[in-house]
Amino acid sequence: MSIIAFTFGMSFLLFDEIIVNEAGHYGKITGYKIGYYLWNLSFIIMIIRNIISLKIKKL
């Protein structure tokens, strides 16, 4: 699941627009700042933690 989450997070690099509200209005993606990269870093940390957990269980 953590790999799927990371893939979803990185998929935003492929789009030019995103939905910005419940009315279905779209807004242009003008750039990626620290929040986006921290969000994706959290997915990477989750992947690493899951790998460590699997290795500990095998011991």
Side-chain angles (χ1 to χ4, degrees):
M1 291 303 288
S2 55
I3 293 172
I4 292 170
F6 177 69
T7 304
F8 173 73
M10 292 303 292
S11 72
F12 280 86
L13 292 171
L14 303 174
F15 297 99
D16 295 330
E17 296 179 321
I18 58 168
I19 296 176
V20 294
N21 59 26
E22 291 93 13
H25 295 111
Y26 286 84
K28 274 236 176 260
I29 297 174
T30 57
Y32 300 97
K33 296 191 179 186
I34 190 74
Y36 173 75
Y37 294 109
L38 287 174
W39 184 51
N40 280 312
L41 179 62
S42 71
F43 297 137
I44 293 170
I45 291 169
M46 198 168 37
I47 291 169
I48 293 168
R49 179 63 180 126
N50 287 336
I51 290 170
I52 291 169
S53 292
L54 287 174
K55 288 189 178 203
I56 289 173
K57 283 183 183 179
K58 287 185 180 182
L59 296 176

